[in-house]
Amino acid sequence: MANIILIGFMGAGKTTFGKWLARQKAMDFLDTDEMIETEQNMSINKIFEKKGEAYFRELETALLERLLWEKLDNVVLSAGGGLVMREQNRELAARLGEVVYLKASVDTLCSRLTGDTARPLLAGGSMREKIEGLMEKRESVYEAAAARCIDTDGLSFEDILKKMEECAQ
Ligand code: S3P
């Protein structure tokens, strides 16, 4: 069960780096948000709007349970930014594979996320304040949930991979 589970804030690069990483390592790539959207036949925005965040969080847990039951293997899994906020999900993620936290600064996240309309938790008001508020609650949880924490600011994908491999030794 050699999987890599990428966690971190929205805009940290879990999906873009994750796809690249999967190619480098001849692994498959999966994204929890994408899987949930496909299963529900609804965008994340719509799920939040119609069913609420609590329902979405239930879907994330159910998905992790299913992936574990299906014996997910050789996959880079990009986890939605709030997924590890649930203790149960942190346990499931750790059972699924090596949990890697892709850390990025508020400045980096802000520049990547400004103009984004696909993330309901960032809609309306000041993007920076929203990111800072959520980060304050999440940073320590991300760190505690991860077996490896990579500071990605200013790094190329090659550099991030190098750091991941250094940490693993
Ligand atoms: C969320 C992050 C999003 C998505 C949803 C909620 C969060 O995923 O799951 O909008 O709570 O941080 P990404 O981190 O892939 O953007």
Side-chain angles (χ1 to χ4, degrees), residues 112-130:
R112 287 195 194 140
L113 292 165
T114 297
D116 180 276
T117 54
R119 278 131 169 148
L121 295 182
L122 300 177
S126 149
M127 175 67 76
R128 179 169 290 272
E129 277 171 22
K130 288 241 156 81

Side-chain angles (χ1 to χ4, degrees), residues 73-86:
D73 188 40
N74 202 40
V75 166
V76 175
L77 178 70
S78 168
L83 180 143
V84 293
M85 297 309 288
R86 261 195 185 193

Side-chain angles (χ1 to χ4, degrees), residues 8-11 14-15 31-33 44 48 53 56-57 60 78-83 113 118-121 134 138 142:
F9 205 81
M10 296 168 262
K14 303 179 298 283
T15 301
D31 180 311
T32 59
D33 289 335
I44 302 289
F48 270 67
E53 180 175 352
F56 175 72
R57 300 301 174 197
E60 289 185 316
S78 168
L83 180 143
L113 292 165
R119 278 131 169 148
L121 295 182
L134 280 171
R138 291 182 173 187
Y142 289 143

Side-chain angles (χ1 to χ4, degrees), residues 15-162:
T15 301
T16 47
F17 172 70
K19 283 184 177 164
W20 178 87
L21 178 65
R23 276 199 307 275
Q24 298 302 307
K25 295 181 92 65
M27 295 169 82
D28 293 318
F29 174 80
L30 290 174
D31 180 311
T32 59
D33 289 335
E34 229 177 84
M35 293 176 88
I36 289 172
E37 285 182 322
T38 305
E39 280 166 12
Q40 299 293 308
N41 197 22
M42 230 189 274
S43 68
I44 302 289
N45 268 332
K46 270 273 173 275
I47 299 172
F48 270 67
E49 185 196 316
K50 300 240 177 252
K51 314 263 181 145
E53 180 175 352
Y55 180 81
F56 175 72
R57 300 301 174 197
E58 291 298 332
L59 295 176
E60 289 185 316
T61 302
L63 174 60
L64 292 180
E65 281 171 341
R66 202 189 75 216
L67 293 176
L68 202 58
W69 187 77
E70 288 176 354
K71 302 200 187 328
L72 187 78
D73 188 40
N74 202 40
V75 166
V76 175
L77 178 70
S78 168
L83 180 143
V84 293
M85 297 309 288
R86 261 195 185 193
E87 191 186 352
Q88 189 185 0
N89 292 355
R90 292 197 287 279
E91 284 166 16
L92 289 165
R95 286 168 64 196
L96 271 172
E98 182 94 58
V99 180
V100 177
Y101 170 30
L102 297 181
K103 188 172 174 167
S105 67
V106 170
D107 280 348
T108 300
L109 296 173
C110 221
S111 71
R112 287 195 194 140
L113 292 165
T114 297
D116 180 276
T117 54
R119 278 131 169 148
L121 295 182
L122 300 177
S126 149
M127 175 67 76
R128 179 169 290 272
E129 277 171 22
K130 288 241 156 81
I131 295 174
E132 279 170 351
L134 280 171
M135 261 310 223
E136 212 172 294
K137 291 187 214 141
R138 291 182 173 187
E139 179 99 71
S140 60
V141 179
Y142 289 143
E143 282 171 3
R148 299 185 226 165
C149 171
I150 315 283
D151 213 327
T152 64
D153 268 339
L155 296 189
S156 64
F157 287 172
E158 282 85 1
D159 289 340
I160 299 174
L161 176 56
K162 236 182 264 164

